[in-house]
Amino acid sequence: MQNLSSTQREILLALIELYNKGKKMIKSKEVADMIGKDEGTVRNIILGLKVLGLVESKPGPNGGYIPTLKAYEFIKNPSISPILDKLSLYRGNVETDIKIENIELLDVTNPSGNKVILKVTGDLRKIRPGDPVRLGPTPYSRLVIDGVVINADDSRKEVLIDVKRMISVPKEKVKNIIGRRLITLKPDMTLKEASMILYKEGIRGAPVLGEGEKVLGIITTADIIKAFFEGKYDAKVSDYMKTDVITIRDEEDVLEAIRKMVIYNVGRLLVVDSMQRVIGIVTRTDILKSIAGLELLWGV
């Protein structure tokens, strides 16, 4: 692994392995225990990996660290999917324990007969002919498939799918899909003032900036509705903004944006440049508008 010391490489690989197993934020202590190193040393090295764009962190008691898409590409591990790490079959919008090992495309040139055979592991009794299913994005080809089960053969561990839609997510930088100028709010604004700005601009959320354009948080229409429901009509933006802000670099791939939205269960990310200055917001809607058919990822 170029440009990384042996210790950095060891810690990054341990973090990836732990994340792949648990699908959750990883604590520095977990990494330290796994490789037998001091937790303080591990934490300091992870901060360096974060600067390199290989690790993402989230503060707080439920926080921790996760490897970025760049980390997976950096180690060139073909067994890892860029978004969900294991390629699962979804029945409707519910993830099943059926894992996909191979995809064989049939009749690709025939629009009325496009079929896919999946080689899988898991209990196929959980799906039946007629069930809507989806899978993807696949590693590297970034393919998303949406279809209906024709047959599920548990003895052969094969699923035959009638494909309804199939797309390949193109490589695109986040900065290229930011759709509008950046609207910001101040922490001492009243919620009424903030709601008027959001309504006028036709947006559902905006970052809250303090002195020196420092990011203090983000507030959405849902936060304002909550405050009004509680009768806090005179509350300030700072009273209801979320301070745990999820950001993404402007040079990152759109798949990394999707990955973060899935992991953190959010619909928008603040976009920052190399100096950590906020230059915009990328929303789920921006992604859906930019890439036809990508709503499959969220089932909307």
Side-chain angles (χ1 to χ4, degrees), residues 126-152:
K126 295 181 179 180
I127 58 173
R128 299 177 179 179
D131 283 346
V133 292
R134 62 183 176 89
L135 61 99
T138 60
Y140 307 107
S141 62
R142 304 155 72 103
L143 195 67
V144 180
I145 298 174
D146 178 37
V148 175
V149 175
I150 297 176
N151 185 55

PDB file of all heavy atoms in Angstrom, residues 126-152:
ATOM      1  N   LYS A 126     -37.452 -17.785   1.681  1.00  0.00           N
ATOM      2  CA  LYS A 126     -37.954 -16.479   2.119  1.00  0.00           C
ATOM      3  C   LYS A 126     -38.432 -15.615   0.956  1.00  0.00           C
ATOM      4  O   LYS A 126     -38.998 -14.546   1.172  1.00  0.00           O
ATOM      5  CB  LYS A 126     -36.857 -15.744   2.896  1.00  0.00           C
ATOM      6  CG  LYS A 126     -36.479 -16.438   4.202  1.00  0.00           C
ATOM      7  CD  LYS A 126     -35.419 -15.661   4.956  1.00  0.00           C
ATOM      8  CE  LYS A 126     -35.084 -16.353   6.269  1.00  0.00           C
ATOM      9  NZ  LYS A 126     -34.038 -15.626   7.039  1.00  0.00           N
ATOM     10  N   ILE A 127     -38.196 -16.067  -0.277  1.00  0.00           N
ATOM     11  CA  ILE A 127     -38.703 -15.328  -1.428  1.00  0.00           C
ATOM     12  C   ILE A 127     -39.516 -16.268  -2.309  1.00  0.00           C
ATOM     13  O   ILE A 127     -39.289 -17.469  -2.331  1.00  0.00           O
ATOM     14  CB  ILE A 127     -37.568 -14.694  -2.251  1.00  0.00           C
ATOM     15  CG1 ILE A 127     -36.579 -15.757  -2.747  1.00  0.00           C
ATOM     16  CG2 ILE A 127     -36.843 -13.628  -1.441  1.00  0.00           C
ATOM     17  CD1 ILE A 127     -35.531 -15.203  -3.695  1.00  0.00           C
ATOM     18  N   ARG A 128     -40.473 -15.674  -3.019  1.00  0.00           N
ATOM     19  CA  ARG A 128     -41.369 -16.458  -3.860  1.00  0.00           C
ATOM     20  C   ARG A 128     -41.503 -15.815  -5.229  1.00  0.00           C
ATOM     21  O   ARG A 128     -41.246 -14.613  -5.379  1.00  0.00           O
ATOM     22  CB  ARG A 128     -42.756 -16.566  -3.213  1.00  0.00           C
ATOM     23  CG  ARG A 128     -42.753 -17.248  -1.845  1.00  0.00           C
ATOM     24  CD  ARG A 128     -44.141 -17.238  -1.257  1.00  0.00           C
ATOM     25  NE  ARG A 128     -44.185 -17.900   0.057  1.00  0.00           N
ATOM     26  CZ  ARG A 128     -45.276 -18.010   0.792  1.00  0.00           C
ATOM     27  NH1 ARG A 128     -46.427 -17.493   0.352  1.00  0.00           N
ATOM     28  NH2 ARG A 128     -45.226 -18.630   1.958  1.00  0.00           N
ATOM     29  N   PRO A 129     -41.935 -16.600  -6.225  1.00  0.00           N
ATOM     30  CA  PRO A 129     -42.202 -16.013  -7.539  1.00  0.00           C
ATOM     31  C   PRO A 129     -43.195 -14.860  -7.423  1.00  0.00           C
ATOM     32  O   PRO A 129     -44.186 -14.948  -6.707  1.00  0.00           O
ATOM     33  CB  PRO A 129     -42.798 -17.187  -8.327  1.00  0.00           C
ATOM     34  CG  PRO A 129     -42.174 -18.408  -7.700  1.00  0.00           C
ATOM     35  CD  PRO A 129     -42.084 -18.076  -6.234  1.00  0.00           C
ATOM     36  N   GLY A 130     -42.885 -13.768  -8.108  1.00  0.00           N
ATOM     37  CA  GLY A 130     -43.734 -12.577  -8.049  1.00  0.00           C
ATOM     38  C   GLY A 130     -43.236 -11.522  -7.086  1.00  0.00           C
ATOM     39  O   GLY A 130     -43.694 -10.371  -7.136  1.00  0.00           O
ATOM     40  N   ASP A 131     -42.302 -11.887  -6.195  1.00  0.00           N
ATOM     41  CA  ASP A 131     -41.769 -10.914  -5.239  1.00  0.00           C
ATOM     42  C   ASP A 131     -40.907  -9.875  -5.959  1.00  0.00           C
ATOM     43  O   ASP A 131     -40.052 -10.230  -6.782  1.00  0.00           O
ATOM     44  CB  ASP A 131     -40.899 -11.600  -4.187  1.00  0.00           C
ATOM     45  CG  ASP A 131     -41.715 -12.317  -3.126  1.00  0.00           C
ATOM     46  OD1 ASP A 131     -42.935 -12.069  -3.057  1.00  0.00           O
ATOM     47  OD2 ASP A 131     -41.130 -13.100  -2.352  1.00  0.00           O
ATOM     48  N   PRO A 132     -41.106  -8.590  -5.644  1.00  0.00           N
ATOM     49  CA  PRO A 132     -40.202  -7.561  -6.186  1.00  0.00           C
ATOM     50  C   PRO A 132     -38.871  -7.614  -5.450  1.00  0.00           C
ATOM     51  O   PRO A 132     -38.828  -7.700  -4.225  1.00  0.00           O
ATOM     52  CB  PRO A 132     -40.952  -6.264  -5.887  1.00  0.00           C
ATOM     53  CG  PRO A 132     -41.776  -6.575  -4.672  1.00  0.00           C
ATOM     54  CD  PRO A 132     -42.170  -8.025  -4.799  1.00  0.00           C
ATOM     55  N   VAL A 133     -37.771  -7.581  -6.184  1.00  0.00           N
ATOM     56  CA  VAL A 133     -36.440  -7.653  -5.571  1.00  0.00           C
ATOM     57  C   VAL A 133     -35.524  -6.633  -6.236  1.00  0.00           C
ATOM     58  O   VAL A 133     -35.783  -6.165  -7.351  1.00  0.00           O
ATOM     59  CB  VAL A 133     -35.823  -9.061  -5.689  1.00  0.00           C
ATOM     60  CG1 VAL A 133     -36.574 -10.062  -4.837  1.00  0.00           C
ATOM     61  CG2 VAL A 133     -35.779  -9.515  -7.141  1.00  0.00           C
ATOM     62  N   ARG A 134     -34.467  -6.320  -5.533  1.00  0.00           N
ATOM     63  CA  ARG A 134     -33.441  -5.453  -6.102  1.00  0.00           C
ATOM     64  C   ARG A 134     -32.086  -5.808  -5.506  1.00  0.00           C
ATOM     65  O   ARG A 134     -31.996  -6.434  -4.447  1.00  0.00           O
ATOM     66  CB  ARG A 134     -33.747  -3.969  -5.857  1.00  0.00           C
ATOM     67  CG  ARG A 134     -33.791  -3.564  -4.404  1.00  0.00           C
ATOM     68  CD  ARG A 134     -34.168  -2.088  -4.286  1.00  0.00           C
ATOM     69  NE  ARG A 134     -34.310  -1.683  -2.899  1.00  0.00           N
ATOM     70  CZ  ARG A 134     -33.325  -1.226  -2.144  1.00  0.00           C
ATOM     71  NH1 ARG A 134     -32.110  -1.120  -2.660  1.00  0.00           N
ATOM     72  NH2 ARG A 134     -33.529  -0.875  -0.886  1.00  0.00           N
ATOM     73  N   LEU A 135     -31.040  -5.374  -6.186  1.00  0.00           N
ATOM     74  CA  LEU A 135     -29.681  -5.610  -5.719  1.00  0.00           C
ATOM     75  C   LEU A 135     -28.776  -4.514  -6.262  1.00  0.00           C
ATOM     76  O   LEU A 135     -29.096  -3.857  -7.246  1.00  0.00           O
ATOM     77  CB  LEU A 135     -29.174  -6.984  -6.157  1.00  0.00           C
ATOM     78  CG  LEU A 135     -29.112  -7.228  -7.672  1.00  0.00           C
ATOM     79  CD1 LEU A 135     -27.693  -7.023  -8.206  1.00  0.00           C
ATOM     80  CD2 LEU A 135     -29.593  -8.624  -8.000  1.00  0.00           C
ATOM     81  N   GLY A 136     -27.646  -4.307  -5.566  1.00  0.00           N
ATOM     82  CA  GLY A 136     -26.663  -3.355  -6.031  1.00  0.00           C
ATOM     83  C   GLY A 136     -26.598  -2.102  -5.176  1.00  0.00           C
ATOM     84  O   GLY A 136     -27.366  -1.946  -4.234  1.00  0.00           O
ATOM     85  N   PRO A 137     -25.646  -1.244  -5.508  1.00  0.00           N
ATOM     86  CA  PRO A 137     -24.712  -1.309  -6.623  1.00  0.00           C
ATOM     87  C   PRO A 137     -23.668  -2.416  -6.426  1.00  0.00           C
ATOM     88  O   PRO A 137     -23.222  -2.653  -5.317  1.00  0.00           O
ATOM     89  CB  PRO A 137     -24.024   0.067  -6.622  1.00  0.00           C
ATOM     90  CG  PRO A 137     -24.868   0.938  -5.776  1.00  0.00           C
ATOM     91  CD  PRO A 137     -25.503   0.036  -4.775  1.00  0.00           C
ATOM     92  N   THR A 138     -23.322  -3.068  -7.536  1.00  0.00           N
ATOM     93  CA  THR A 138     -22.301  -4.107  -7.493  1.00  0.00           C
ATOM     94  C   THR A 138     -20.920  -3.461  -7.433  1.00  0.00           C
ATOM     95  O   THR A 138     -20.756  -2.301  -7.836  1.00  0.00           O
ATOM     96  CB  THR A 138     -22.391  -4.998  -8.742  1.00  0.00           C
ATOM     97  OG1 THR A 138     -22.198  -4.172  -9.906  1.00  0.00           O
ATOM     98  CG2 THR A 138     -23.728  -5.687  -8.837  1.00  0.00           C
ATOM     99  N   PRO A 139     -19.919  -4.199  -6.938  1.00  0.00           N
ATOM    100  CA  PRO A 139     -18.562  -3.645  -6.930  1.00  0.00           C
ATOM    101  C   PRO A 139     -18.082  -3.344  -8.345  1.00  0.00           C
ATOM    102  O   PRO A 139     -18.351  -4.096  -9.268  1.00  0.00           O
ATOM    103  CB  PRO A 139     -17.729  -4.758  -6.292  1.00  0.00           C
ATOM    104  CG  PRO A 139     -18.714  -5.611  -5.564  1.00  0.00           C
ATOM    105  CD  PRO A 139     -19.981  -5.530  -6.347  1.00  0.00           C
ATOM    106  N   TYR A 140     -17.409  -2.202  -8.498  1.00  0.00           N
ATOM    107  CA  TYR A 140     -16.686  -1.843  -9.710  1.00  0.00           C
ATOM    108  C   TYR A 140     -17.594  -1.524 -10.895  1.00  0.00           C
ATOM    109  O   TYR A 140     -17.476  -0.457 -11.485  1.00  0.00           O
ATOM    110  CB  TYR A 140     -15.656  -2.913 -10.073  1.00  0.00           C
ATOM    111  CG  TYR A 140     -14.760  -3.199  -8.898  1.00  0.00           C
ATOM    112  CD1 TYR A 140     -14.886  -4.380  -8.174  1.00  0.00           C
ATOM    113  CD2 TYR A 140     -13.840  -2.252  -8.455  1.00  0.00           C
ATOM    114  CE1 TYR A 140     -14.106  -4.616  -7.061  1.00  0.00           C
ATOM    115  CE2 TYR A 140     -13.064  -2.485  -7.336  1.00  0.00           C
ATOM    116  CZ  TYR A 140     -13.191  -3.665  -6.639  1.00  0.00           C
ATOM    117  OH  TYR A 140     -12.432  -3.900  -5.528  1.00  0.00           O
ATOM    118  N   SER A 141     -18.519  -2.417 -11.286  1.00  0.00           N
ATOM    119  CA  SER A 141     -19.421  -2.098 -12.391  1.00  0.00           C
ATOM    120  C   SER A 141     -20.537  -1.163 -11.940  1.00  0.00           C
ATOM    121  O   SER A 141     -21.205  -0.555 -12.770  1.00  0.00           O
ATOM    122  CB  SER A 141     -20.026  -3.374 -12.977  1.00  0.00           C
ATOM    123  OG  SER A 141     -20.803  -4.052 -12.008  1.00  0.00           O
ATOM    124  N   ARG A 142     -20.761  -1.063 -10.619  1.00  0.00           N
ATOM    125  CA  ARG A 142     -21.717  -0.125 -10.019  1.00  0.00           C
ATOM    126  C   ARG A 142     -23.129  -0.331 -10.571  1.00  0.00           C
ATOM    127  O   ARG A 142     -23.860   0.614 -10.818  1.00  0.00           O
ATOM    128  CB  ARG A 142     -21.227   1.307 -10.259  1.00  0.00           C
ATOM    129  CG  ARG A 142     -19.833   1.560  -9.756  1.00  0.00           C
ATOM    130  CD  ARG A 142     -19.130   2.689 -10.476  1.00  0.00           C
ATOM    131  NE  ARG A 142     -19.618   3.991 -10.155  1.00  0.00           N
ATOM    132  CZ  ARG A 142     -19.003   4.849  -9.347  1.00  0.00           C
ATOM    133  NH1 ARG A 142     -17.872   4.507  -8.757  1.00  0.00           N
ATOM    134  NH2 ARG A 142     -19.504   6.032  -9.123  1.00  0.00           N
ATOM    135  N   LEU A 143     -23.504  -1.611 -10.756  1.00  0.00           N
ATOM    136  CA  LEU A 143     -24.782  -1.960 -11.359  1.00  0.00           C
ATOM    137  C   LEU A 143     -25.882  -2.090 -10.315  1.00  0.00           C
ATOM    138  O   LEU A 143     -25.681  -2.668  -9.250  1.00  0.00           O
ATOM    139  CB  LEU A 143     -24.637  -3.292 -12.104  1.00  0.00           C
ATOM    140  CG  LEU A 143     -25.727  -3.674 -13.094  1.00  0.00           C
ATOM    141  CD1 LEU A 143     -25.717  -2.716 -14.277  1.00  0.00           C
ATOM    142  CD2 LEU A 143     -25.505  -5.104 -13.570  1.00  0.00           C
ATOM    143  N   VAL A 144     -27.056  -1.518 -10.626  1.00  0.00           N
ATOM    144  CA  VAL A 144     -28.251  -1.654  -9.788  1.00  0.00           C
ATOM    145  C   VAL A 144     -29.327  -2.341 -10.619  1.00  0.00           C
ATOM    146  O   VAL A 144     -29.612  -1.922 -11.744  1.00  0.00           O
ATOM    147  CB  VAL A 144     -28.776  -0.283  -9.311  1.00  0.00           C
ATOM    148  CG1 VAL A 144     -30.007  -0.452  -8.437  1.00  0.00           C
ATOM    149  CG2 VAL A 144     -27.692   0.474  -8.552  1.00  0.00           C
ATOM    150  N   ILE A 145     -29.899  -3.407 -10.061  1.00  0.00           N
ATOM    151  CA  ILE A 145     -30.909  -4.183 -10.783  1.00  0.00           C
ATOM    152  C   ILE A 145     -32.202  -4.234  -9.974  1.00  0.00           C
ATOM    153  O   ILE A 145     -32.176  -4.502  -8.773  1.00  0.00           O
ATOM    154  CB  ILE A 145     -30.420  -5.617 -11.062  1.00  0.00           C
ATOM    155  CG1 ILE A 145     -29.170  -5.585 -11.946  1.00  0.00           C
ATOM    156  CG2 ILE A 145     -31.517  -6.463 -11.712  1.00  0.00           C
ATOM    157  CD1 ILE A 145     -28.535  -6.944 -12.160  1.00  0.00           C
ATOM    158  N   ASP A 146     -33.309  -3.981 -10.645  1.00  0.00           N
ATOM    159  CA  ASP A 146     -34.639  -4.004 -10.034  1.00  0.00           C
ATOM    160  C   ASP A 146     -35.500  -4.943 -10.861  1.00  0.00           C
ATOM    161  O   ASP A 146     -35.577  -4.799 -12.093  1.00  0.00           O
ATOM    162  CB  ASP A 146     -35.215  -2.585 -10.045  1.00  0.00           C
ATOM    163  CG  ASP A 146     -36.618  -2.511  -9.474  1.00  0.00           C
ATOM    164  OD1 ASP A 146     -36.904  -3.242  -8.513  1.00  0.00           O
ATOM    165  OD2 ASP A 146     -37.434  -1.729  -9.996  1.00  0.00           O
ATOM    166  N   GLY A 147     -36.144  -5.924 -10.206  1.00  0.00           N
ATOM    167  CA  GLY A 147     -36.945  -6.870 -10.975  1.00  0.00           C
ATOM    168  C   GLY A 147     -37.905  -7.676 -10.135  1.00  0.00           C
ATOM    169  O   GLY A 147     -38.193  -7.327  -8.986  1.00  0.00           O
ATOM    170  N   VAL A 148     -38.401  -8.742 -10.721  1.00  0.00           N
ATOM    171  CA  VAL A 148     -39.388  -9.613 -10.078  1.00  0.00           C
ATOM    172  C   VAL A 148     -38.897 -11.053 -10.159  1.00  0.00           C
ATOM    173  O   VAL A 148     -38.391 -11.488 -11.209  1.00  0.00           O
ATOM    174  CB  VAL A 148     -40.768  -9.485 -10.764  1.00  0.00           C
ATOM    175  CG1 VAL A 148     -41.760 -10.482 -10.168  1.00  0.00           C
ATOM    176  CG2 VAL A 148     -41.301  -8.066 -10.628  1.00  0.00           C
ATOM    177  N   VAL A 149     -39.054 -11.786  -9.053  1.00  0.00           N
ATOM    178  CA  VAL A 149     -38.626 -13.179  -9.015  1.00  0.00           C
ATOM    179  C   VAL A 149     -39.507 -14.039  -9.929  1.00  0.00           C
ATOM    180  O   VAL A 149     -40.738 -14.006  -9.832  1.00  0.00           O
ATOM    181  CB  VAL A 149     -38.683 -13.741  -7.578  1.00  0.00           C
ATOM    182  CG1 VAL A 149     -38.359 -15.233  -7.569  1.00  0.00           C
ATOM    183  CG2 VAL A 149     -37.716 -12.984  -6.676  1.00  0.00           C
ATOM    184  N   ILE A 150     -38.864 -14.806 -10.829  1.00  0.00           N
ATOM    185  CA  ILE A 150     -39.574 -15.777 -11.655  1.00  0.00           C
ATOM    186  C   ILE A 150     -39.529 -17.146 -10.988  1.00  0.00           C
ATOM    187  O   ILE A 150     -40.535 -17.857 -10.909  1.00  0.00           O
ATOM    188  CB  ILE A 150     -38.953 -15.862 -13.067  1.00  0.00           C
ATOM    189  CG1 ILE A 150     -39.095 -14.516 -13.788  1.00  0.00           C
ATOM    190  CG2 ILE A 150     -39.608 -16.974 -13.881  1.00  0.00           C
ATOM    191  CD1 ILE A 150     -38.415 -14.485 -15.145  1.00  0.00           C
ATOM    192  N   ASN A 151     -38.344 -17.504 -10.488  1.00  0.00           N
ATOM    193  CA  ASN A 151     -38.186 -18.799  -9.830  1.00  0.00           C
ATOM    194  C   ASN A 151     -37.018 -18.735  -8.854  1.00  0.00           C
ATOM    195  O   ASN A 151     -36.020 -18.058  -9.097  1.00  0.00           O
ATOM    196  CB  ASN A 151     -37.930 -19.901 -10.861  1.00  0.00           C
ATOM    197  CG  ASN A 151     -37.885 -21.280 -10.220  1.00  0.00           C
ATOM    198  OD1 ASN A 151     -38.821 -21.689  -9.531  1.00  0.00           O
ATOM    199  ND2 ASN A 151     -36.800 -22.003 -10.445  1.00  0.00           N
ATOM    200  N   ALA A 152     -37.177 -19.438  -7.716  1.00  0.00           N
ATOM    201  CA  ALA A 152     -36.104 -19.541  -6.725  1.00  0.00           C
ATOM    202  C   ALA A 152     -35.853 -21.018  -6.452  1.00  0.00           C
ATOM    203  O   ALA A 152     -36.718 -21.705  -5.902  1.00  0.00           O
ATOM    204  CB  ALA A 152     -36.495 -18.814  -5.442  1.00  0.00           C
TER     205      ALA A 152
END
